[in-house]
Amino acid sequence: MILGIESSCDETAAAIVRGGRELVSSVVASQIATHSPYGGVVPELASREHLRNLVPVTRAALDKAGLTYADMDAIAVTNGPGLAGALLTGVSFAKSLAWALQKPLIAVNHIEGHIHAVLLEQHQKSAGAVEFPVLALVVSGGHTHLFLAEQRDDGWHYENIGHTRDDAAGEAFDKTAKLLGLGYPGGPIIDRISKLGDPKAVKFTFAQLKHEARRESKRAGRVEEDRKRFDFSYSGIKTAVLRYVETHEMFSAIEARRRALMKIAAPTEEDYKELCDRQTLDLIASFQAAVVGDLTQRTMSACEEYGVRTLLVTGGVAANSALRASFEQRGPLVGVKVHFPSRIMSTDNAAMIAAAAYSKWIARKFAGLDVAAEANLQLR
Ligand code: KG4
Ligand code: ZN
């Protein structure tokens, strides 16, 4: 029975997972209302909110399960990557719990958590083991990564074969929504209103990134096989949207929309429809189609290159309906089984952290009480 704790960005979460495959309880406290007026996550405010929420959220997860701290076998916590201050609150809390309760502490990489969100739900559906090779596309507000995932006796191992060279895909959604006066977080809003516009109206092009083979191939005197990389880049499209807005003199309409939406607590599709003209709706739909098209095309090329049998698409942007539809259509054409987490498990939660901790529990890979929060923690 593992208690997971997550505080890497703007969600404070606690969850209990039994045996790495049975979700017992999960509680997420979102900070959207706190950060919304600023159009993005304010790191200092995030840390303060975590401090306020960690104890009640954890107690709520235990209460929901009808369990106590004493019933837990280990405490798992996200120790990176993420916002340094935000991570620190969760790591300090988890260390204190582990020390006070005399339970093992397990440090989990947030990205590994997102991958296990899918695997946990596969177990819950009794869907059977996934077929290898497994590729994971982790696509969120902070990450756009491709990892080959392998399960060995001592747990899971990962090889990064691609990442974004600048902005993450979710970041592009959020920044574009902010630029167009649509509110925060941008991903779900753009997802909802993209169907109102023409996705082919505005043409966006992506940089032709070279998919180079790795250079650092000489290790331990042995020449390793060169592996192709599949990198992404999403800062260009954000600039292209800005150019479009400038060229078409859309700024005053954007400002009017921003002010109008600020006065509405929970804008509906009708509100957006009323506040966005055709040109804006077409721009939004075209932006989403371009990002989804690029993510799909690069990921499917990687699947072909590595003979992938199972693709896991996870992270906040995996909640996007167009992205799901695109992968669901392309995967079967090349014999790749595609799995997504449910929408609720796509965004940050602690169930994925408790689930990812299980193989470390089995392999007795425990963290010491000196474990640090690492904003740039790498996944291997
Ligand atoms: O995984 P997550 O909760 O936090 C990070 O680890 O970053 O992902 C949050 C990101 C935000 O950028 C948000 O705009 C995006 O996921 N997102 C979406 C959707 N839902 C959340 N992007 C596109 N479409 C969605 N439906
Ligand atoms: Zn995340």
Side-chain angles (χ1 to χ4, degrees), residues 102-380:
Q102 290 295 296
K103 309 269 183 192
L105 179 67
I106 302 172
V108 176
N109 184 302
H110 182 80
I111 300 174
E112 180 173 23
H114 275 301
I115 295 171
H116 283 264
V118 195
L119 297 171
L120 171 63
E121 291 195 318
Q122 285 301 109
H123 283 309
Q124 292 195 286
K125 287 183 216 154
S126 303
V130 290
E131 274 181 67
F132 291 87
V134 170
L135 182 70
L137 168 66
V138 183
V139 67
S140 70
H143 318 284
T144 307
H145 285 293
L146 283 172
F147 281 98
L148 286 169
E150 208 185 311
Q151 196 176 21
R152 300 189 203 143
D153 289 343
D154 65 342
W156 285 80
H157 293 260
Y158 307 91
E159 184 191 350
N160 181 273
I161 59 158
H163 61 83
T164 179
R165 297 200 187 163
D166 38 60
D167 290 355
E171 197 178 347
F173 271 95
D174 294 339
K175 287 179 175 170
T176 299
K178 187 176 178 183
L179 170 67
L180 298 176
L182 295 171
Y184 163 86
I189 303 171
I190 291 183
D191 189 0
R192 272 169 77 198
I193 56 180
S194 277
K195 56 180 177 296
L196 305 173
D198 174 5
K200 295 202 174 96
V202 186
K203 294 270 170 291
F204 291 109
T205 49
F206 286 88
Q208 291 297 315
L209 300 175
K210 275 194 193 145
H211 290 173
E212 284 177 1
R214 281 213 175 137
R215 299 261 169 238
E216 83 280 7
S217 52
K218 274 189 196 145
R219 206 190 292 157
R222 177 175 102 237
V223 178
E224 284 180 5
E225 197 186 330
D226 281 347
R227 304 263 249 170
K228 255 186 167 181
R229 291 192 58 79
F230 293 86
D231 285 348
F232 304 87
S233 166
Y234 294 111
S235 74
I237 189 161
K238 182 189 66 190
T239 316
V241 173
L242 176 63
R243 291 276 165 282
Y244 187 94
V245 164
E246 283 169 350
T247 318
H248 296 81
E249 296 175 357
M250 295 164 80
F251 281 117
S252 53
I254 287 172
E255 187 51 24
R257 174 162 55 245
R258 197 182 62 78
R259 284 172 193 274
L261 283 170
M262 260 169 51
K263 293 190 193 126
I264 309 172
T268 61
E269 212 169 290
E270 279 309 308
D271 293 324
Y272 287 114
K273 219 169 169 177
E274 215 165 276
L275 293 164
C276 299
D277 58 8
R278 168 97 349 243
Q279 191 178 36
T280 305
L281 291 172
D282 286 350
L283 178 62
I284 294 165
S286 302
F287 162 83
Q288 175 173 285
V291 173
V292 165
D294 185 73
L295 280 168
T296 314
Q297 182 253 315
R298 284 182 210 264
T299 304
M300 294 319 296
S301 303
C303 284
E304 266 178 58
E305 174 73 22
Y306 288 91
V308 167
R309 302 291 297 273
T310 305
L311 173 67
L312 312 177
V313 183
T314 184
V317 182
N320 186 274
S321 15
L323 187 78
R324 286 175 179 248
S326 175
F327 276 111
E328 269 160 8
Q329 192 235 329
R330 290 285 298 278
L333 298 180
V334 290
V336 176
K337 282 209 179 91
V338 187
H339 302 298
F340 304 91
S342 60
R343 272 167 219 270
I344 191 93
M345 286 281 276
S346 299
T347 49
D348 290 350
N349 64 83
M352 66 188 200
I353 303 304
Y358 183 65
S359 67
K360 298 179 206 298
W361 159 264
I362 294 288
R364 293 289 183 263
K365 284 186 184 166
F366 299 134
L369 288 180
D370 57 349
V371 67
E374 286 185 53
N376 298 313
L377 187 67
Q378 303 291 313
L379 178 61
R380 292 196 172 86

Side-chain angles (χ1 to χ4, degrees), residues 83-104:
L83 300 170
L87 287 165
L88 195 58
T89 61
V91 169
S92 304
F93 177 56
K95 279 190 206 178
S96 312
L97 276 182
W99 181 77
L101 301 167
Q102 290 295 296
K103 309 269 183 192

